[in-house]
Amino acid sequence: MDKTIYFLLNLLQDLYILRKLIFLFNDDTDYKVEILVTKGFIKRDKDFALTKEIKNIEQEIGINVFYINSNIEIYNKFNNVLKAILISSSESTLDAHAETSNLMKLCKSNIKSITIQHGFECVGFLHNKNHSLHHGSNVGFNADIVCGWIKKEYQRDLINSSKSKYCFLGNPAFINKTSKRTFHKLNRQNHRKNKPGLICENIHSARFNNSDKARDQFLNNFLELAELLNSEGKKIAIRPHPAGRFKKSVTKNPKTFPKNVLIDNSPSHLIDWSSYGYGISAPSSVVFDMFLSGIPVCIWSDANQSVDISLLRSFPIATSVEELFSFCLYFDNLPENNYSDQIKSMLGCVNEEKIGIDYLSLINSILC
């Protein structure tokens, strides 16, 4: 029987967080690597864009992909391995993560389960104010090991049972290479002149606290901003959060977009962030994808700041279309950011370029 590493994909953003680890563990270990795909993932991937990406990974490195039909199938699969690890980036004690959690509960003593943080602001790790309002302050994990992006002391929403099994390893999406391949490098020398801007949408998020007023302001600010930029002969792109699709979230009430608006619906790992001159987003981890690619970043909140921006105050803030327009015109003349302890911890881990080494060390300590 083999020693196996299982990657469990349930939410769409799981693929972005786990993708480089799949390559790393395939390239740099002798363990069998397998992807498990839930019914929930297939249901959410309405245009099959990420299902195609999974197929590409399967063909490129020759690993098995297993589409889960029932828990009994997984129970039988787990009984046929000598030792294994089950890895997820969307698991917690919340009902919304029940599909993943129920599979983790099938793990016997021969299988260690690992949960990996999937966002800078993330339930059970580090809450945005509206995360706590929406989900409460007692979110834990069923996994044996919990891996996060920043040092434990800065994860202010880890409960005691999570602290005892926490490992600070960094964001695996920022792994830069394996022994067999180099991933797309972050381009911090970004020549921004005449490039379109990018605004990222995540109005489905708990950060909006189900506020239609905040959602409406985001969409209206975007449309007004696009018109202002159009009058200056400038383009702007809009992109959805990977957990949803643009047509589902942004065009719930279809609007006619100005002619200078581009739509970027690419999977996160296929985007060349440096192709944009600057980025705008409500609080989201996409801020760091843009920032680490050399893009000046502005954080959007509504006029009442019901969308909590407290953890991202290191970046310029805009709460009106006038402030957004000013940022778009003068983003090259901004003062240097003053980073919070949480952001310093995450960026320090990225700069050390040893995220992949640390994840390999953890895996080998379990399976060797």
Side-chain angles (χ1 to χ4, degrees):
M1 292 192 288
D2 296 314
K3 293 180 179 179
T4 305
I5 303 171
Y6 295 110
F7 286 93
L8 182 58
L9 303 182
N10 184 45
L11 299 184
L12 297 186
Q13 58 263 43
D14 291 347
L15 182 60
Y16 176 62
I17 297 299
L18 300 178
R19 177 178 175 273
K20 290 181 179 179
L21 284 179
I22 293 170
F23 283 103
L24 178 69
F25 294 162
N26 179 77
D27 292 351
D28 290 22
T29 76
D30 293 325
Y31 310 125
K32 180 181 177 183
V33 175
E34 186 167 347
I35 298 174
L36 307 177
V37 184
T38 68
K39 290 180 180 179
F41 186 96
I42 298 299
K43 184 178 179 180
R44 294 178 183 99
D45 188 26
K46 295 187 182 302
D47 62 1
F48 301 105
L50 296 184
T51 303
K52 291 174 186 173
E53 288 300 317
I54 295 170
K55 189 69 176 176
N56 289 340
I57 294 172
E58 179 184 21
Q59 293 175 344
E60 183 174 353
I61 58 178
I63 63 172
N64 187 48
V65 177
F66 185 83
Y67 295 90
I68 302 169
N69 288 311
S70 68
N71 285 2
I72 192 66
E73 290 179 332
I74 295 300
Y75 180 80
N76 290 334
K77 179 179 280 289
F78 288 172
N79 273 340
N80 287 315
V81 292
L82 174 66
K83 252 184 174 182
I85 298 173
L86 177 64
I87 302 174
S88 168
S89 64
S90 57
E91 185 275 324
S92 76
T93 54
L94 292 178
D95 290 343
H97 296 155
E99 188 171 19
T100 302
S101 296
N102 289 338
L103 290 170
M104 282 201 168
K105 291 172 184 176
L106 297 176
C107 293
K108 302 171 84 170
S109 59
N110 63 322
I111 301 177
K112 287 288 185 185
S113 54
I114 297 176
T115 289
I116 297 177
Q117 184 173 356
H118 70 258
F120 178 68
E121 298 175 326
C122 188
V123 288
F125 292 92
L126 182 64
H127 289 195
N128 180 289
K129 177 182 71 177
N130 290 328
H131 279 132
S132 294
L133 289 173
H134 192 69
H135 300 299
S137 301
N138 194 36
V139 181
F141 303 98
N142 296 289
D144 299 310
I145 300 168
V146 177
C147 299
W149 296 4
I150 62 179
K151 293 178 181 178
K152 186 195 298 187
E153 57 264 36
Y154 302 135
Q155 298 277 27
R156 66 187 186 195
D157 295 287
L158 281 175
I159 61 175
N160 287 336
S161 62
S162 301
K163 289 178 181 177
S164 63
K165 52 188 177 183
Y166 183 79
C167 296
F168 164 46
L169 299 182
N171 180 356
F174 294 141
I175 292 171
N176 57 7
K177 63 183 178 180
T178 75
S179 62
K180 295 181 180 178
R181 71 198 76 230
T182 298
F183 298 113
H184 174 69
K185 287 194 173 182
L186 299 170
N187 178 14
R188 302 186 193 192
Q189 303 297 319
N190 180 23
H191 304 289
R192 299 182 284 270
K193 190 175 181 181
N194 298 325
K195 292 181 179 180
L198 175 66
I199 188 165
C200 296
E201 170 274 328
N202 63 342
I203 59 174
H204 71 285
S205 170
R207 296 172 181 87
F208 281 77
N209 201 29
N210 290 321
S211 170
D212 288 335
K213 189 173 181 179
R215 289 169 177 157
D216 287 346
Q217 186 191 329
F218 178 89
L219 294 174
N220 289 331
N221 280 178
F222 164 67
L223 292 170
E224 292 168 21
L225 176 63
E227 291 285 10
L228 289 169
L229 290 171
N230 193 35
S231 69
E232 297 282 333
K234 299 178 184 295
K235 294 183 178 182
I236 189 165
I238 188 165
R239 180 180 184 275
H241 185 278
R245 270 307 185 238
F246 180 82
K247 290 180 181 178
K248 179 182 176 183
S249 55
V250 177
T251 59
K252 206 175 215 181
N253 299 308
K255 298 175 184 286
T256 302
F257 292 100
K259 63 182 180 181
N260 63 325
V261 172
L262 310 170
I263 299 174
D264 191 335
N265 219 15
S266 306
S268 299
H269 64 278
L270 295 180
I271 291 182
D272 178 6
W273 303 101
S274 64
S275 66
Y276 294 102
Y278 58 86
I280 299 166
S281 179
S284 169
S285 300
V286 75
V287 165
F288 298 104
D289 292 299
M290 297 188 289
F291 172 73
L292 289 168
S293 295
I295 299 177
V297 173
C298 178
I299 308 299
W300 177 91
S301 184
D302 60 307
N304 296 323
Q305 293 197 22
S306 60
V307 177
D308 179 25
I309 55 174
S310 58
L311 285 169
L312 293 169
R313 284 193 177 277
S314 299
F315 298 99
I317 306 297
T319 60
S320 69
V321 69
E322 292 81 13
E323 291 172 350
L324 287 172
F325 189 46
S326 178
F327 171 79
C328 295
L329 295 181
Y330 306 113
F331 57 80
D332 268 335
N333 297 310
L334 298 170
E336 191 170 334
N337 296 335
N338 183 22
Y339 302 120
S340 67
D341 289 337
Q342 283 93 346
I343 292 175
K344 284 179 182 175
S345 179
M346 192 190 73
L347 296 181
C349 190
V350 173
N351 291 334
E352 288 175 9
E353 296 188 346
K354 66 184 191 72
I355 298 174
I357 295 171
D358 289 344
Y359 275 98
L360 282 169
S361 295
L362 174 64
I363 294 303
N364 286 325
S365 71
I366 295 170
L367 291 180
C368 280

